[in-house]
Amino acid sequence: MTGQAYGKLHAFSKRKSDIDASLAAYRKLAADYPKSSLADDALYLMGRIYENELKDKYLAYMEYYRLTSRFPKGDMAVKAKRRLQALKKYK
């Protein structure tokens, strides 16, 4: 995925523009291909970026919530529910 490439680039560059590009790529994938098996992965990875890279717990919570609402049976739903529990004070 393009989002992963930008994420790896950010690991070296530490430029916010790389993280922004990663988020945009994941957002586009989830919006343009909602029936793809990767759509829930994209939302999960957006949550991880908000939580770990940008330290925005509220936006992380919202992405995990969006994932569990749109893809309750997706392969990332269990992980997202765990993160929601950990971040419930940020909702």
Side-chain angles (χ1 to χ4, degrees):
M1 281 193 272
T2 305
Q4 287 178 327
Y6 281 113
K8 289 179 181 182
L9 181 59
H10 174 261
F12 292 105
S13 72
K14 302 297 182 199
R15 293 186 321 195
K16 187 172 181 306
S17 62
D18 293 332
I19 283 295
D20 292 340
S22 183
L23 287 168
Y26 288 137
R27 190 174 292 112
K28 182 169 176 45
L29 188 154
D32 291 354
Y33 304 99
K35 295 185 190 259
S36 167
S37 63
L38 295 176
D40 62 332
D41 295 57
L43 294 176
Y44 181 79
L45 292 169
M46 287 176 66
R48 297 300 290 178
I49 289 170
Y50 283 124
E51 184 177 359
N52 298 319
E53 299 296 329
L54 299 177
K55 308 298 185 207
D56 191 326
K57 307 298 186 196
Y58 174 76
L59 288 178
Y61 183 93
M62 295 308 295
E63 291 303 331
Y64 298 135
Y65 181 80
R66 185 174 295 128
L67 187 160
T68 58
S69 296
R70 289 177 56 192
F71 306 100
K73 295 181 182 178
D75 66 324
M76 301 306 285
V78 172
K79 286 183 176 183
K81 287 176 187 175
R82 279 192 222 127
R83 296 312 311 141
L84 283 171
Q85 277 299 111
L87 297 172
K88 65 183 173 186
K89 67 181 176 184
Y90 297 101
K91 64 178 178 176

